Amino acid sequence: SVRLLKMATSASSKLNKAVKQQYMALPQGDMVQAMYIWIDGSGEGLRCKTRTLDSEPKTIEDLPEWNFDGSSTYQSEGSNSDMFLIPSAMFRDPFRKDPNKLVLCEVLKYNRKPAETNLRHSCKQIMSMVENNHPWFGMEQEYTLLGTDGHPFGWPSNGFPGPQGPYYCGVGADKAYGRDIVEAHYRACLYAGVKICGTNAEVMPAQWEFQVGPCEGINMGDHLWIARFILHRVCEDFGVVASFDPKPISGNWNGAGCHTNFSTKEMRDDGGLKVIEEAIERLSKRHRYHIRTYDPRGGLDNARRLTGHHETSNIDEFSAGVANRGASIRIPRSVGQDKKGYFEDRRPSANCDPYIVTEALVRTCLLKEEGEEPTDYSK
């Protein structure tokens, strides 16, 4: 028990929060703080900065464009470093509270073309092509809590906790590691207006999951990225780190995925199982394209996770089955019984970009694309 007290937490988390509260309670007049948030050049990291607005923005159109130095975010060279921030989705700010805002932005380069890791731009175009299908998504975001030294939160400093078994949906100090963070994140997401629909402790100790959805079209990516931002920010307050690494601990421990549930109006209507099966048939013929888009390193991250063990499918093989957690695609048992509903793609990695994952599903299942490359519709 003494070993647990030596948990490596950040220096800033030890500052006196009561002192901070004294300042946060000061009135801010009519001014509004808008925190602009964007995805950096790694495709995984989030960046943010704040500006003052002189009135509360009611819609996304009320928010001005802004810019930042892309040479410091892996997004441009120093000689031509200004990048544009285009406000794309707005949420309430659970840290500074109303009337302040969190603003998720797209990044454009100096020539107004989308930055390489701005995968929202293309996703939005693809989603606009299938509006009448009403594509719904739900994503299950797994993550691992780490100390600032990279050691899983609550694990003994030299050694390992007991083997997996008691931790999934567990309760008790010896089974649930870090629930305070999960509770704070959940409530902050509800306040912000994020469509968070649940949480649970996962199979590996210090691993958790939250679910976002159902969201239609582009909203899926917007809500998941803001939920991730809020998680990083909550963890910062507690002095620990949230990792989306798909295999944070090698060996006999579960990895972390981002299972993606997908349906269209046709699939949700009576007899939709037939449409689901047709979609899975299309996916079976395009496995490599999907694996390439399901993590930021073209499949290399997922190769550490999709081993065929620990409730995963093998990265090199496509499989599908009812209620099968070892398959690429799982049809929930209830969907098999009701003959309608949705299916779950279990391949996306915890650090995937939800924009390209949802776009890939739409391209293959609805636009009926085939082959290794996405179709270019601008021609």
Side-chain angles (χ1 to χ4, degrees):
S1 61
V2 178
R3 287 179 305 178
L4 292 180
L5 299 175
K6 293 206 302 241
M7 190 70 223
T9 53
S10 70
S12 62
S13 70
K14 300 179 180 75
L15 294 173
N16 187 330
K17 302 306 178 191
V19 174
K20 178 190 175 188
Q21 208 38 52
Q22 180 186 329
Y23 299 103
M24 297 307 286
L26 292 171
Q28 58 187 73
D30 296 329
M31 299 302 183
V32 171
Q33 290 168 292
M35 180 176 270
Y36 283 50
I37 299 162
W38 70 96
I39 299 156
D40 71 16
S42 71
E44 298 180 70
L46 286 160
R47 308 287 179 122
C48 59
K49 61 176 186 166
T50 304
R51 67 185 294 167
T52 305
L53 306 175
D54 50 20
S55 63
E56 183 179 354
K58 297 295 185 216
T59 68
I60 208 79
E61 286 71 39
D62 297 339
L63 293 157
E65 278 187 25
W66 205 8
N67 59 291
F68 68 94
D69 164 22
S71 68
S72 302
T73 61
Y74 319 120
Q75 282 170 305
S76 68
E77 63 274 9
S79 58
N80 192 4
S81 69
D82 271 9
M83 315 277 288
F84 296 104
L85 289 172
I86 312 300
S88 301
M90 182 169 69
F91 296 81
R92 294 167 74 197
D93 186 337
F95 306 102
R96 294 166 170 155
K97 303 199 185 79
D98 290 337
N100 304 304
K101 304 294 180 196
L102 301 179
V103 183
L104 184 65
C105 299
E106 279 194 35
V107 177
L108 301 183
K109 296 190 281 199
Y110 68 94
N111 56 7
R112 309 285 298 181
K113 289 194 167 27
E116 280 70 16
T117 52
N118 174 1
L119 302 181
R120 185 183 192 274
H121 191 81
S122 161
C123 181
K124 195 160 188 278
Q125 291 172 329
I126 294 298
M127 292 301 170
S128 71
M129 295 169 65
V130 296
E131 274 172 2
N132 297 341
N133 297 88
H134 299 288
W136 289 6
F137 301 93
M139 295 182 84
E140 307 171 22
Q141 177 68 70
E142 294 180 337
Y143 62 94
T144 310
L145 296 174
L146 307 174
T148 49
D149 57 0
H151 195 66
F153 181 79
W155 285 32
S157 52
N158 44 3
F160 295 92
Q164 295 182 159
Y167 309 107
Y168 172 71
C169 297
V171 61
D174 55 344
K175 300 183 187 71
Y177 298 14
R179 194 185 300 276
D180 287 356
I181 290 158
V182 175
E183 293 296 337
H185 172 253
Y186 201 153
R187 190 62 59 89
C189 282
L190 290 173
Y191 181 94
V194 170
K195 281 193 166 178
I196 186 168
C197 58
T199 63
N200 57 272
E202 263 308 327
V203 178
M204 185 178 93
Q207 197 178 62
W208 295 81
E209 173 183 298
F210 64 87
Q211 301 94 24
V212 176
C215 295
E216 189 163 326
I218 195 71
N219 292 328
M220 183 66 248
D222 291 350
H223 282 247
L224 189 66
W225 272 114
I226 285 290
R228 286 173 173 179
F229 175 84
I230 292 171
L231 180 64
H232 286 309
R233 189 54 196 75
V234 166
C235 284
E236 185 186 322
D237 281 347
F238 283 101
V240 300
V241 175
S243 168
F244 296 116
D245 189 286
K247 193 75 175 181
I249 306 295
S250 58
N252 207 12
W253 303 96
N254 270 40
C258 192
H259 302 157
T260 302
N261 301 282
F262 174 55
S263 69
T264 60
K265 188 174 184 308
E266 263 195 299
M267 294 177 192
R268 297 186 292 270
D269 287 347
D270 286 344
L273 184 60
K274 184 171 170 295
V275 186
I276 290 172
E277 286 166 347
E278 285 165 8
I280 292 172
E281 178 62 22
R282 290 186 192 289
L283 289 167
S284 72
K285 297 190 169 85
R286 219 180 182 208
H287 181 61
R288 276 175 48 192
Y289 163 73
H290 282 265
I291 288 294
R292 222 171 55 237
T293 59
Y294 281 6
D295 76 48
R297 285 171 195 82
L300 291 176
D301 274 349
N302 245 338
R304 293 185 284 127
R305 167 181 158 256
L306 295 179
T307 58
H309 304 290
H310 306 106
E311 301 180 81
T312 68
S313 57
N314 187 307
I315 192 165
D316 298 318
E317 295 160 17
F318 181 89
S319 56
V322 174
N324 181 359
R325 285 186 157 71
S328 313
I329 306 287
R330 179 178 72 96
I331 298 175
R333 180 155 283 138
S334 61
V335 174
Q337 286 162 354
D338 299 343
K339 303 277 185 275
K340 62 179 178 182
Y342 67 97
F343 66 84
E344 174 192 51
D345 192 334
R346 298 179 59 82
R347 296 171 294 175
S349 161
N351 60 346
C352 70
D353 189 316
Y355 294 125
I356 198 166
V357 170
T358 55
E359 177 187 317
L361 284 165
V362 164
R363 283 177 177 275
T364 303
C365 300
L366 298 185
L367 298 177
K368 304 185 175 172
E369 291 182 17
E370 296 172 353
E372 295 285 310
E373 295 301 323
T375 305
D376 182 0
Y377 295 99
S378 62
K379 293 190 177 71

